[in-house]
């Protein structure tokens, strides 16, 4: 599932288990961890888009009332970030996504977070309470038809200037992994 070297994937899985163990108070097997991730999706999970695949975009209503304009993303590097307010791995990664946005948003990096919360109010409250300003929309059936959420959470994809996927990761990224996204600018 991950395109990182084995040592990073192992580190990521160990961190997931320790976070869930802390939340639930019980050790988790790899099977239980996968079951917990699968439970976050109500439909058949999609695979990560392969590197090199063209990724279409659509306009998306943002949680702050604005609109993500697909046409503005043409020729730009775009980070797509699926997250949820209830996801502990998203809670660990989102501050680093905000740092990436703060550091590179004015340099041409575009970002579109996509909340998969069940209620839009939960996503808005989460963003507001944490002071996140990176552009985020709400997953809807119309958006899901064009940009289906891949299996896992969080999911981070980078779309290059040519409209093709240059990076796709399911699961929590570490701070250095998020910072490395800037290399695509």
């Amino acid at each position: 599932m991950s395109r990182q070297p084995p040592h990073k994937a192992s580190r990521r899985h160990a961190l997931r288990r320790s976070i869930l163990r802390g939340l639930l108070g019980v050790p988790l097997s790899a099977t239980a961890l996968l079951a917990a991730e699968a439970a976050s999706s109500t439909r058949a999970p999609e695979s990560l888009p392969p590197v090199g695949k063209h990724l279409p975009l659509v306009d998306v209503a943002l949680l702050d009332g604005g609109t993500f304009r697909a046409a503005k993303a043409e020729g730009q590097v775009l980070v797509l970030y699926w997250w949820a307010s209830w996801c502990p791995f998203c809670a660990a990664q989102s501050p680093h996504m905000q740092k990436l946005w703060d550091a590179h948003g004015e340099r041409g990096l575009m970002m579109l977070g996509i909340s998969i919360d069940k209620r839009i109010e939960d996503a808005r409250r989460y963003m507001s309470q944490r002071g996140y300003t990176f552009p985020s929309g709400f997953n809807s059936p119309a958006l899901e038809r064009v940009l289906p959420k891949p299996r896992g959470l969080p999911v981070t994809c980078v779309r290059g200037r040519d409209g093709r996927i240059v990076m796709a990761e399911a699961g929590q990224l570490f701070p250095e992994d998020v910072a490395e996204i800037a290399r695509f600018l």
Side-chain angles (χ1 to χ4, degrees):
M1 175 168 23
S2 174
R3 290 187 170 81
Q4 291 293 325
H7 70 280
K8 285 191 179 183
S10 300
R11 184 175 162 208
R12 188 172 298 136
H13 290 291
L15 180 63
R16 281 185 189 163
R17 281 191 294 274
S18 68
I19 288 172
L20 283 176
R21 184 180 306 121
L23 291 173
L24 303 175
V26 295
L28 289 176
S29 67
T31 304
L33 185 60
L34 290 173
E37 286 182 359
S40 70
S41 178
T42 57
R43 58 185 219 69
E46 296 285 332
S47 297
L48 281 171
V51 171
K53 177 183 180 190
H54 183 268
L55 188 70
L57 297 175
V58 294
D59 291 351
V60 177
L62 298 175
L63 297 173
D64 67 4
T67 302
F68 169 84
R69 300 281 179 204
K72 283 188 160 188
E74 294 306 324
Q76 302 296 319
V77 174
L78 170 67
V79 177
L80 291 161
Y81 173 55
W82 283 267
W83 60 273
S85 64
W86 47 263
C87 169
F89 312 113
C90 303
Q93 182 174 322
S94 290
H96 305 292
M97 300 303 281
Q98 182 65 46
K99 283 181 187 178
L100 180 71
W101 175 246
D102 290 343
H104 301 287
E106 291 185 9
R107 290 187 43 215
L109 178 75
M110 297 194 71
M111 186 177 289
L112 177 59
I114 303 171
S115 167
I116 65 157
D117 282 285
K118 298 242 185 268
R119 298 174 343 137
I120 196 168
E121 301 83 25
D122 295 338
R124 285 186 175 132
R125 183 173 42 256
Y126 181 84
M127 294 286 287
S128 174
Q129 287 175 345
R130 285 157 183 80
Y132 295 146
T133 60
F134 56 84
S136 281
F138 191 71
N139 202 28
S140 67
L143 180 57
E144 183 77 15
R145 281 190 291 279
V146 178
L147 290 172
K149 183 208 161 295
R151 176 181 33 233
L153 201 59
V155 174
T156 309
C157 294
V158 180
R159 182 181 185 262
R161 295 181 190 281
D162 64 356
R164 297 184 185 285
I165 295 291
V166 295
M167 183 188 117
E169 290 287 335
Q172 180 185 342
L173 298 178
F174 291 104
E176 60 270 21
D177 299 325
V178 174
E180 210 171 285
I181 291 171
R183 77 180 188 270
F184 297 112
L185 283 173

